[in-house]
Amino acid sequence: MAGALQFGDVLRRGSALRGVAPLNAASRRLRILFLVSAHNSLSQRAYIALTEMGHHVSVAVVETDEAMEQAVARHQPELVVCPFLKKFIPESVWANHRCLVVHPGPLGDRGGSSLDWAVELGVSEWGVTVLEATGEIDGGDVWATRNFRIREAAKTSLYKHEVRRAAVDALLEAVANIADDEFSPLSVDYDDPAVTGRSRPLMKQNDRAIEWTSDSTTTVLRKLRAAEGHPGVLDTVEGVDFHLFGAHLERGLRGRPGEVIAQRNGAICRATVDGAVWITHLKRSDEGDRRFFKLP
């Protein structure tokens, strides 16, 4: 892949990385347990790739600490892998079993909104890091990493394509490194120029808010694309609070910023200060016990 940064290249770079053993192909087959919040496209592809290499992989969809503890006790894995896990791994698990977390951010990146920030800030390159779970969020030793170029697209599209490919490549390398008894993982040194990631806060709706009277069309599109899939951008349409999804550029229509100026095939078109955008789906904000769906 163009722009891919091989972990071996990082290991050969910088004073902090001296003395680390070179990468070798894995010869030992491992008993691996996936702990996931959902068995999504990434975890499914990773499952196929690892089983094709001869590893025995089991999958447990978990929501609580207790569920994770029970899954580990039941499967007795040699390695725990978390390709898509929204919950923190309890100390009772990571302190007794090596756990690898697939983080959608470059080397040194931390936080639960990494890909959101990448799209929001309009960066040109991002990455995926496979790191060991510890008591410090996204702060464990790194077993593999990959970088990739970011195209202009929604977060969900990037996740399903660039992130998934980079994550599977990095995970395969990480598992090979785990199976190599001579390999030592990388402890991140933030003074090293090869480390581009930083700790980033969880992105909140205040960070995502659209200022229709001042934000350019490009800015509006980035904000909407950074929230695509979940959670959407909270906004008001005709006096009702909605989360907005599905942003597309409109090249001809113009109007007063923020106003709905057209409808087509279930989508609405809203004017910006220098153009307009189409929004394909809305989800009304939940009210007390009332729950609403994302709809055209």
Side-chain angles (χ1 to χ4, degrees):
M1 182 192 308
L5 178 63
Q6 301 296 322
F7 190 48
D9 296 336
V10 177
L11 290 178
R12 287 185 286 272
R13 196 187 294 176
S15 60
L17 310 181
R18 291 176 186 152
V20 177
L23 302 177
N24 295 313
S27 58
R28 182 159 55 95
R29 304 309 180 216
L30 300 175
R31 189 168 62 256
I32 300 172
L33 172 64
F34 280 10
L35 294 179
V36 297
S37 296
H39 196 21
N40 68 356
S41 59
L42 170 55
S43 62
Q44 291 175 36
R45 184 64 189 89
Y47 175 92
I48 293 171
L50 288 170
T51 54
E52 286 180 342
M53 291 181 65
H55 300 291
H56 178 75
V57 183
S58 301
V59 181
V61 179
V62 293
E63 295 184 355
T64 65
D65 289 0
E66 183 180 9
M68 292 187 226
E69 292 167 348
Q70 291 175 350
V72 170
R74 182 168 61 253
H75 293 282
Q76 291 295 307
E78 297 174 89
L79 176 66
V80 175
V81 174
C82 305
F84 177 69
L85 184 64
K86 295 182 178 180
K87 304 291 184 180
F88 296 127
I89 304 170
E91 184 176 0
S92 57
V93 173
W94 63 255
N96 296 294
H97 298 80
R98 176 168 284 152
C99 302
L100 297 185
V101 176
V102 178
H103 176 70
L107 187 66
D109 184 83
R110 300 183 185 184
S113 300
S114 292
L115 194 55
D116 305 58
W117 282 114
V119 178
E120 175 89 10
L121 297 174
V123 301
S124 61
E125 185 175 87
W126 204 240
V128 172
T129 304
V130 179
L131 50 89
E132 189 163 340
T134 65
E136 188 176 4
I137 299 173
D138 300 329
D141 288 345
V142 174
W143 288 87
T145 187
R146 290 288 189 281
N147 281 8
F148 56 86
R149 301 292 297 178
I150 284 191
R151 57 192 165 88
E152 291 188 11
K155 175 180 65 174
T156 50
S157 180
L158 292 170
Y159 183 85
K160 291 177 181 178
H161 298 284
E162 284 87 345
V163 170
R164 187 185 68 177
R165 288 194 295 266
V168 171
D169 285 348
L171 184 56
L172 290 178
E173 184 175 315
V175 172
N177 291 338
I178 291 287
D180 180 359
D181 294 332
E182 297 183 357
F183 181 85
S184 297
L186 167 69
S187 180
V188 177
D189 177 6
Y190 284 92
D191 293 326
D192 193 308
V195 179
T196 59
R198 291 293 180 267
S199 178
R200 301 176 189 274
L202 189 68
M203 186 177 287
K204 300 180 180 179
Q205 286 297 340
N206 286 341
D207 302 308
R208 304 181 189 274
I210 296 172
E211 298 293 340
W212 292 100
T213 58
S214 59
D215 284 346
S216 67
T217 301
T218 299
T219 299
V220 171
L221 285 171
R222 277 209 309 264
K223 289 182 175 181
L224 290 167
R225 288 169 175 169
E228 183 62 25
H230 180 81
V233 174
L234 181 62
D235 198 54
T236 302
V237 182
E238 304 293 342
V240 181
D241 289 341
F242 288 97
H243 293 265
L244 315 182
F245 301 89
H248 300 274
L249 175 66
E250 165 55 39
R251 300 186 181 278
L253 298 176
R254 298 293 183 269
R256 183 179 299 174
E259 286 191 348
V260 177
I261 57 176
Q263 299 181 38
R264 182 177 63 198
N265 297 330
I268 58 173
C269 186
R270 296 187 75 178
T272 66
V273 294
D274 59 353
V277 295
W278 286 95
I279 299 167
T280 64
H281 289 73
L282 302 176
K283 178 187 177 297
R284 188 170 175 176
S285 290
D286 296 335
E287 301 173 355
D289 293 334
R290 301 181 67 193
R291 298 292 182 264
F292 297 92
F293 296 99
K294 183 194 302 184
L295 296 169

